[in-house]
Amino acid sequence: QLQLQESGPGLVKPSETLSLTCSVSGGSISSGSYYWGWIRQPPGKGLEWIGTISYSGSTSYNPSLKSRVTISVDTSKSQFSLRLSPVTAADTAVYYCARLGTLEDNWFDPWGQGTLVTVSS
Amino acid sequence: SYELTQPLSVSVALGQTARITCGGNNIGSKNVHWYQQKPGQAPVLVIYRDSNRPSGIPERFSGSNSGNTATLTISRAQAGDEADYYCQVWDISTVVFGGGTKLTVL
């Protein structure tokens, strides 16, 4: 059964860089049938898509975050990563990683458990 | 950019049918997916491609999509169905989520 697990610092200072990694287990990250994505949820608010990446490194980003986001993949480690810089308090959120299907199968499943990142000095 | 509109909240009596809508311009031409999120938990896919249920999701959950509105229907609502529900589509290489609907089971 495919599982995803987010990891990274839970506290980041304003103007610095948020870095998270998603580890994929129980399946291959190199399948051409899927993308891998990041989604976030500020406290008490809805879901916001950040971006996605294919195993070959092809990316797509939310236009509202594009200038600050980089998503990368390391197939040798079965991991993909998120960098967001510079951050402000508005970037405080639970960050989820998830698998996204391609073509018409463009839904997220499964999701990681999520990790809370707080931006504060 | 494409937008999805959901009601902030929907209430349903125990055992009755709840309907949660997701509005978007010509959404009937897109594949709509639905997620359930309970407090403190990650979202879970409950409907994909408008009306399909993943393995393990009760038959009480169903979906439809036509025109400018997609609908998630929960029949015989149970207390355990109380959660936030989000619709999602793919639009020109971007993912779009609805704002979410809080379902309360009375």
Side-chain angles (χ1 to χ4, degrees):
Chain A
Q1 181 179 358
L2 189 78
Q3 293 186 317
L4 293 85
Q5 178 68 57
E6 306 88 352
S7 60
L11 180 63
V12 181
K13 290 183 168 55
S15 80
E16 296 191 345
T17 299
L18 179 158
S19 295
L20 295 174
T21 296
C22 181
S23 298
V24 179
S25 60
S28 174
I29 198 172
S30 299
S31 169
S33 299
Y34 299 104
Y35 289 118
W36 305 92
W38 288 98
I39 305 100
R40 70 180 184 179
Q41 185 172 36
K45 296 188 178 181
L47 301 172
E48 180 181 33
W49 172 67
I50 300 172
T52 55
I53 191 166
S54 70
Y55 78 96
S56 62
S58 176
T59 55
S60 181
Y61 297 131
N62 185 326
S64 69
L65 298 171
K66 187 173 184 177
S67 64
R68 299 193 293 132
V69 173
T70 301
I71 297 176
S72 59
V73 64
D74 186 339
T75 55
S76 66
K77 295 182 179 179
S78 286
Q79 295 177 337
F80 61 103
S81 298
L82 168 70
R83 289 173 59 87
L84 180 66
S85 180
V87 297
T88 69
D91 294 311
T92 294
V94 175
Y95 286 76
Y96 296 100
C97 60
R99 184 181 69 176
L100 175 71
T102 60
L103 301 177
E104 292 193 349
D105 298 344
N106 43 40
W107 59 82
F108 288 104
D109 182 59
W111 296 58
Q113 66 183 28
T115 187
L116 174 63
V117 179
T118 301
V119 178
S120 175
S121 55
Chain B
S1 61
Y2 195 78
E3 294 186 357
L4 296 174
T5 301
Q6 297 183 236
L8 283 177
S9 63
V10 167
S11 297
V12 62
L14 187 68
Q16 298 303 303
T17 297
R19 293 178 179 84
I20 299 173
T21 59
C22 177
N25 184 33
N26 196 26
I27 195 174
S29 66
K30 301 182 183 298
N31 291 316
V32 179
H33 319 301
W34 291 91
Y35 303 89
Q36 175 193 69
Q37 186 181 33
K38 296 182 179 180
Q41 298 183 18
V44 172
L45 180 72
V46 293
I47 292 288
Y48 65 92
R49 244 189 277 127
D50 298 341
S51 59
N52 296 277
R53 278 178 294 104
S55 173
I57 300 301
E59 292 182 5
R60 301 184 297 102
F61 287 79
S62 61
S64 62
N65 184 19
S66 178
N68 293 317
T69 305
T71 302
L72 172 69
T73 301
I74 305 171
S75 304
R76 302 182 299 284
Q78 301 179 358
D81 298 332
E82 195 161 279
D84 293 326
Y85 291 85
Y86 296 89
C87 57
Q88 176 246 311
V89 301
W90 176 265
D91 178 70
I92 312 176
S93 298
T94 65
V95 173
V96 182
F97 285 103
T101 298
K102 181 176 180 59
L103 177 68
T104 300
V105 180
L106 304 172

